[in-house]
Amino acid sequence: MPRTQAPATGSAADTIALLRALIREACVNDGSVGSGQEIRSVRVLQRFLADAVATGRVETHVLESAPGRASLVARLRGTGTGTGTGTDPDAPSLGLLGHLDVVPVDPDGWTRNPFGGDLIDGEIWGRGAVDMLYLTAAFACVLRDAALAPEPPRGDLVLIAVADEEGGGEYGIHWLVRQHPEVVRVTEALSESGGMRMGRHVAIEVAEKGSAGRRLVIHGKPGHASIPYGAKSASYRVGEVLQRLGEVMPAAQLGPLWNAFVSARIQDPALAERLRDPVRLDAALPHLGGIAGYAHAVSRITMSPTVLRAGMTHNVIPAMGTIDLDIRTLPGTTDAEVDHLLRVVLGPLADDIEIEHLRGWAATTSPSDTPLFAAIERAVAAVADAPVVPIMAAGGSDARVLRELGIPAYGFGLLGPDWSYERYREGVHGNDERIDVESVTLSLAALQRIVADRLA
Ligand SMILES: [Zn+2]
């Protein structure tokens, strides 16, 4: 239940109004190139930033990767960089990377219009409210405020509001980094997937698992389906392999982020001790309630069968079947390790299975001893009186593209005290997605401090 909340004022009210406007643009990305149409939300942002642009301090670019697939980059020039007369060549360029697209909805599962942007009892409703329009709106608001402040910042502050995060970024951040590297050039960045509470800590994402998709090609022997006796159907073998994949779990591989998670989240010392032991961890997972899925995912390489294929027509025993696996890797996992692990999991079944590589990317990590991370810690302590815990995300986001370029990038946010990781996960891509005014206000306040800390 939302708690009683004072109505937002000033920049927080502006952020909320912008968030509601972005929700109403309904830039739904279904993965097809014609969907998204983020140009609509780019126009909303341009109107929001008009006064800031009128100062002459902000340079904007609207960049379209395909018709309607627009991203907006707004760079507030710092005194120390970019002009050639800079006084502080080491001043950072802080990027604020927010996406404009949202995932589709199942309207039957919603109790309100998913694209209405309603503000009811201190909560803003709509697809994208949590993922991640509230942050994109807050990013735009801090840039506007910094542009209108009497003193220009020390370094650049760069809003990178992108298309196509939900479709993998091919029409958004990937394209921008390839086609317009100078426009999106930053030295450090904030993006999404942070701010949920882990115990009394606030989680900030510093790493994301990688992806190493594989296709298992499984052979049988064709025959007429009317005489199955003695045939070697690939369908049965697909079934055997699936059963094996369901029974054998890759072993845990624990690193420093795991220990930080356990320390922050697990209060019971005996349970924490079991979780720090890779041998005893799996038996302890059922005691973790709603966080068990996350704990399972970030403590190991995971393998999920997704697409199955076998057979061409109903009266022919299939000679071949395939299983596509969504495999998520840890920092440092190599392709060879994935193939080896897969053979270990398949055991005796592996002998005549071919393993093909599908698309993938490596896990990425940003160090948590950077000046930007320290600024996040100070801001969260000041605004929420809470320590920060660095976490690894099981899924991926656009931040990885910056990390791959060696740019420290953190999943930011500062949600209210009731926002457990489980509540956050439920909101993202779920029905009745909504965010409370308090979380928007806290996140904005922390962002303002970070920007001042790094750039004032
Ligand atoms: Zn997102």
Side-chain angles (χ1 to χ4, degrees):
M1 285 298 289
R3 291 165 305 162
T4 312
Q5 291 173 0
T9 55
S11 296
D14 294 346
T15 299
I16 286 161
L18 178 57
L19 164 60
R20 299 175 69 191
L22 293 173
I23 290 170
R24 290 186 191 120
E25 293 303 330
C27 295
V28 176
N29 185 351
D30 64 14
S32 68
V33 60
S35 71
Q37 294 301 302
E38 294 86 349
I39 186 69
R40 298 194 302 259
S41 286
V42 164
R43 298 291 180 228
V44 170
L45 286 178
Q46 283 182 301
R47 286 195 290 276
F48 182 84
L49 295 173
D51 287 347
V53 172
T55 62
R57 290 175 175 172
V58 179
E59 178 189 297
T60 62
H61 297 264
V62 176
L63 301 160
E64 218 168 352
S65 56
R69 306 309 300 273
S71 298
L72 172 77
V73 182
R75 180 179 296 265
L76 169 61
R77 284 279 178 206
T79 53
T81 51
T83 60
T85 56
T87 52
D88 182 2
D90 296 328
S93 287
L94 172 56
L96 304 173
L97 176 60
H99 63 83
L100 298 169
D101 59 325
V102 299
V103 293
V105 297
D106 167 15
D108 293 342
W110 283 67
T111 51
R112 291 187 187 282
N113 177 359
F115 304 107
D118 296 339
L119 173 53
I120 309 278
D121 294 336
E123 293 182 307
I124 300 101
W125 286 63
R127 173 57 86 223
V130 181
D131 180 13
M132 65 172 286
L133 300 180
Y134 91 94
L135 266 180
T136 305
F139 288 166
C141 196
V142 293
L143 181 113
R144 183 203 65 176
D145 290 355
L148 297 175
E151 291 298 317
R154 184 167 71 99
D156 291 1
L157 181 63
V158 190
L159 171 67
I160 308 172
V162 295
D164 199 35
E165 192 274 345
E166 299 291 1
E170 216 24 67
Y171 296 98
I173 190 65
H174 282 285
W175 181 84
L176 286 170
V177 162
R178 266 199 322 269
Q179 301 294 323
H180 300 279
E182 72 296 339
V183 174
V184 294
R185 194 177 45 77
V186 294
T187 57
E188 56 190 34
L190 300 176
S191 193
E192 63 181 326
S193 312
M196 46 301 229
R197 305 298 177 116
M198 292 262 183
R200 54 180 292 271
H201 293 67
V202 171
I204 295 293
E205 186 208 279
V206 301
E208 292 176 5
K209 291 185 79 180
S211 172
R214 294 290 187 269
R215 175 167 295 161
L216 305 181
V217 182
I218 296 158
H219 298 283
K221 201 164 147 277
H224 199 291
S226 64
I227 308 177
Y229 183 80
K232 207 175 147 209
S233 170
S235 294
Y236 285 124
R237 301 210 56 220
V238 166
E240 284 173 52
V241 171
L242 281 178
Q243 185 163 358
R244 177 96 188 168
L245 287 167
E247 285 166 355
V248 184
M249 190 163 24
Q253 301 176 43
L254 309 180
L257 290 176
W258 172 261
N259 289 327
F261 158 72
V262 171
S263 300
R265 173 65 198 245
I266 307 302
Q267 313 303 325
D268 173 359
L271 181 57
E273 196 196 313
R274 288 168 71 192
L275 291 170
R276 288 198 189 91
D277 178 349
V279 178
R280 293 195 293 160
L281 188 159
D282 289 352
L285 285 174
H287 301 287
L288 295 186
I291 199 86
Y294 172 80
H296 172 263
V298 297
S299 60
R300 75 203 63 225
I301 297 168
T302 58
M303 301 182 169
S304 305
T306 51
V307 181
L308 313 177
R309 293 187 193 85
M312 306 290 279
T313 184
H314 90 284
N315 60 355
V316 177
I317 289 172
M320 193 188 83
T322 60
I323 301 173
D324 289 358
L325 291 167
D326 177 302
I327 297 178
R328 300 300 174 120
T329 59
L330 293 165
T333 308
T334 64
D335 268 336
E337 280 173 67
V338 171
D339 292 338
H340 175 73
L341 179 63
L342 200 42
R343 292 197 178 282
V344 170
V345 167
L346 293 172
L349 298 174
D351 290 346
D352 50 354
I353 292 176
E354 294 161 42
I355 299 174
E356 293 178 359
H357 290 202
L358 305 177
R359 79 179 191 123
W361 57 87
T364 58
T365 309
S366 291
S368 38
D369 59 355
T370 63
L372 178 56
F373 195 83
I376 295 170
E377 290 181 307
R378 283 190 288 271
V380 169
V383 174
D385 190 25
V388 163
V389 58
I391 63 159
M392 176 154 57
S397 79
D398 278 352
R400 131 179 107 79
V401 178
L402 300 183
R403 289 195 196 107
E404 283 169 358
L405 297 171
I407 299 164
Y410 304 109
F412 177 72
L414 180 49
L415 300 168
D418 301 337
W419 282 82
S420 62
Y421 184 86
E422 297 89 308
R423 177 173 170 192
Y424 174 82
R425 285 305 313 165
E426 213 171 291
V428 171
H429 299 193
N431 291 331
D432 285 349
E433 181 176 349
R434 59 198 190 273
I435 192 153
D436 52 310
V437 167
E438 182 186 18
S439 293
V440 179
T441 306
L442 288 171
S443 297
L444 179 71
L447 266 175
Q448 285 165 332
R449 282 178 179 270
I450 293 166
V451 169
D453 194 322
R454 295 300 292 139
L455 300 178

